[in-house]
Amino acid sequence: MTDVDFCVIGGGFAGLTAALRLKQMGRSVALLEARDRLGGRTFTQVRDDGSWIDRGGAWIGPGQDRIRALMTEFGVASYKQYTGGEAMMVVDGKQHRYTGTIPWTMSPWAAMNLGAVFLELGHMCKSVPLEAPWAAKKADKWDQVSLAHWLEANVLSKPAHDLLETAIAGCYTSAASEVSLLFVLYQMASGGGPSFVLGVKDAAQDARPIGGMGAIYRPMAAELGDAIHLSQPVRCIHQDDSGVTVRGTDLRVRARRAIVTVPLAVAGQISYKPMLPADRMFLHQRMPSGAIIKVSVVYDEPFWRADGLSGQSAAPGSPATITIDACTDTGRPGVLCVIVEGPIARQLARLDETERRRAILDALVERFGRKAGAPVDYLEQDWSAERYSGGGMLSHAPTGVLTQFGHALREPCGRIHWAGTESSAVMCGWIDGAIRSGERAASEVLEHETAVVG
Ligand SMILES: Cc1cc2nc3c(=O)[nH]c(=O)nc-3n(C[C@H](O)[C@H](O)[C@H](O)COP(=O)(O)OP(=O)(O)OC[C@H]3O[C@@H](n4cnc5c(N)ncnc54)[C@H](O)[C@@H]3O)c2cc1C
């Protein structure tokens, strides 16, 4: 039995941050991670040529101060996302090249509709209190309807509707009918509004750390040293009057308190003794994650830049639904990131590997020309096939869940405290939110300690 002050479950950014801050405060910690690697929903692969690919979370944006603080702490610099050239929208098979956020060339009516909906969503977001979205004046009304319902009633132009459905529902990696409007507004508000969530420059995909996310989580892990225990999926957390006993595969940890940072979608796989209060247990059952496949297609060089394209494109219904330039700071090799989400990701996952690759490369050739069909490397990461993520990018709330169970997101259950990006009121769903949640949970357990001593 390992005896420590605190036990952290999960080695993504939330868990690593919680454990690091506790260790820095002089406490003993054990971090149990189910996988044989750290990073969770971030996963940086270093290629033989020294370039790196983020197979999960990758981008950072303004307002994400906590990840910036970690980068400063570990000396990690950032570089700006490539946004030169034109972006592309494909609507009904027709390609529209444009600059800025709204594709005005599509059709003035559709573009005006898009602009108006952005404004309306931004306005609605402002009335959602981040610490308690269920307390918004219109919370009950907004939580009764899905995003699909709202889009149907408010977006009259079909191309604008299809684009918004792809873009917004894509953030939740699900069909728009699966996600509560209140949850969408809350999550958008937590990042600063729809322009932040859906934008690139000066928004959620503004920059990247040099070296990828691994350049941050690796030195965090080094500082934690032997506090980290890999390949220890936690099956059971038992709490009693004096502490918790946490069981991994071949490790038992005794601690005063536990911080659980695993995604809501898989938190119910742990057996809690005594059972968790009903609202927390039901939260685990009711906040699923959606499907996302992130494909990194590697070329000798980013040929699309020479063709006047930024690499950013969206094509509702296509197997390569969204693309973005994902080169490192040196711009070599050329990496095009393809993101497929929700129902299309689930359809593609049913194909065999060769058929899926063919479908994606064919779609890229149509959009970027024949060079797109001859990559030097092709890496797929299907997050729904990851046992310890249960999908990606974040767990979402279907209708009715946030107003009924949202209060349980952060409420400790006895000696068990909760972290993970979904529990963060600010930047919920982003890596920055995960870091904030880890810092909050670390303060929480320390406050309890002080209260007992005091
Ligand atoms: C494809 C993709 C793209 C994304 N893009 C971005 C982006 O560009 N920018 C951004 O900010 N965010 C992005 N995100 C979201 C971001 O990656 C997450 O918000 C963040 O990594 C979540 O961190 P976390 O620590 O809360 O959870 P996780 O990273 O999921 O960490 C939880 C950890 O718990 C472990 N675990 C699970 N079950 C157990 C168990 N029983 N016992 C022990 N350990 C367990 C898991 O293995 C995992 O390591 C993306 C996510 C995906 C999937």
Side-chain angles (χ1 to χ4, degrees):
M1 172 96 81
T2 303
D3 233 310
V4 288
D5 291 329
F6 301 111
C7 182
V8 175
I9 294 107
F13 269 95
L16 287 168
T17 306
L20 187 70
R21 296 302 177 227
L22 289 169
K23 187 172 179 195
Q24 289 170 339
M25 293 295 285
R27 305 307 189 277
S28 58
V29 195
L31 184 155
L32 273 61
E33 164 56 45
R35 291 174 163 107
D36 59 2
R37 66 165 183 87
L38 294 166
R41 281 172 272 175
T42 64
F43 175 19
T44 305
Q45 182 171 335
V46 180
R47 298 177 69 247
D48 292 343
D49 63 4
S51 65
W52 36 269
I53 286 184
D54 274 313
R55 304 182 70 155
W59 280 272
I60 55 176
Q64 299 196 328
D65 307 332
R66 298 319 300 156
I67 190 166
R68 283 284 180 189
L70 265 184
M71 289 166 68
T72 306
E73 191 173 335
F74 291 104
V76 181
S78 67
Y79 67 102
K80 284 279 188 184
Q81 170 63 24
Y82 181 78
T83 51
E86 292 171 314
M88 196 193 287
M89 280 290 171
V90 186
V91 181
D92 294 332
K94 195 161 179 270
Q95 297 179 349
H96 302 269
R97 291 167 71 136
Y98 67 100
T99 52
T101 315
I102 309 266
W104 290 102
T105 55
M106 194 167 67
S107 101
W109 160 233
M112 269 169 60
N113 214 197
L114 273 180
V117 169
F118 257 64
L119 282 178
E120 179 61 14
L121 283 171
H123 178 69
M124 290 159 82
C125 282
K126 288 204 175 92
S127 65
V128 178
L130 296 186
E131 293 291 334
W134 46 90
K137 220 169 167 183
K138 294 190 177 162
D140 286 335
K141 186 176 165 203
W142 289 340
D143 208 25
Q144 273 172 30
V145 298
S146 67
L147 172 66
H149 181 97
W150 189 84
L151 288 175
E152 196 63 39
N154 290 278
V155 192
L156 304 177
S157 138
K158 186 175 177 314
H161 177 277
D162 292 354
L163 278 175
L164 278 168
E165 189 159 48
T166 301
I168 304 180
C171 297
Y172 310 101
T173 57
S174 301
S177 55
E178 295 176 74
V179 191
S180 147
L181 174 63
L182 178 64
F183 181 79
V184 172
L185 296 173
Y186 157 60
Q187 199 269 341
M188 283 185 163
S190 89
S195 305
F196 179 85
V197 178
L198 300 171
V200 175
K201 194 169 187 291
D202 299 325
Q205 300 181 101
D206 186 59
R208 295 180 67 188
I210 294 181
M213 287 300 158
I216 313 173
Y217 66 68
R218 278 192 293 267
M220 292 173 83
E223 191 168 330
L224 281 164
D226 58 12
I228 292 179
H229 304 272
L230 294 178
S231 305
Q232 294 293 338
V234 168
R235 305 279 182 226
C236 176
I237 305 177
H238 188 166
Q239 50 174 323
D240 54 44
D241 290 346
S242 59
V244 293
T245 304
V246 179
R247 283 167 213 265
T249 302
D250 50 20
L251 185 72
R252 269 199 317 158
V253 177
R254 182 73 187 162
R256 291 211 288 277
R257 289 179 179 270
I259 299 177
V260 177
T261 74
V262 314
L264 285 163
V266 296
Q269 290 172 12
I270 299 175
S271 161
Y272 303 87
K273 292 181 187 167
M275 269 178 79
L276 295 174
D279 281 11
R280 180 71 205 192
M281 181 182 66
F282 288 136
L283 192 71
H284 293 170
Q285 294 169 1
R286 283 163 172 74
M287 282 194 65
S289 291
I292 179 164
I293 304 175
K294 182 170 180 179
V295 184
S296 307
V297 194
V298 186
Y299 304 92
D300 287 330
E301 54 180 21
F303 61 86
W304 53 92
R305 293 185 184 181
D307 296 339
L309 289 168
S310 64
Q312 191 192 328
S313 72
S318 161
T321 325
I322 289 168
T323 67
I324 184 163
D325 185 308
C327 297
T328 69
D329 53 312
T330 64
R332 293 288 183 285
V335 185
L336 199 57
C337 164
V338 179
I339 302 208
V340 199
E341 294 155 325
I344 301 185
R346 298 200 324 271
Q347 277 167 30
L348 278 186
R350 290 195 283 270
L351 301 178
D352 72 35
E353 221 177 304
T354 318
E355 289 172 322
R356 189 165 51 247
R357 178 183 161 126
R358 190 70 277 143
I360 288 174
L361 290 184
D362 285 352
L364 291 182
V365 169
E366 248 177 58
R367 219 170 299 165
F368 295 102
R370 123 193 105 66
K371 285 184 190 155
V376 294
D377 206 353
Y378 176 96
L379 298 164
E380 272 184 9
Q381 189 75 25
D382 179 357
W383 287 89
S384 339
E386 292 281 318
R387 181 182 301 276
Y388 298 112
S389 296
M393 298 183 268
L394 70 156
S395 302
H396 66 263
T399 53
V401 174
L402 212 45
T403 41
Q404 291 291 322
F405 305 98
H407 69 90
L409 274 167
R410 284 182 293 276
E411 274 169 18
C413 300
R415 293 175 176 276
I416 301 179
H417 298 253
W418 308 101
T421 190
E422 287 83 359
S423 72
S424 183
V426 177
M427 296 292 167
C428 167
W430 286 277
I431 300 160
D432 184 81
I435 293 164
R436 285 169 195 268
S437 76
E439 290 179 338
R440 189 240 327 128
S443 311
E444 247 173 54
V445 296
L446 289 174
E447 270 165 30
H448 275 275
E449 193 181 53
T450 321
V452 171
V453 174

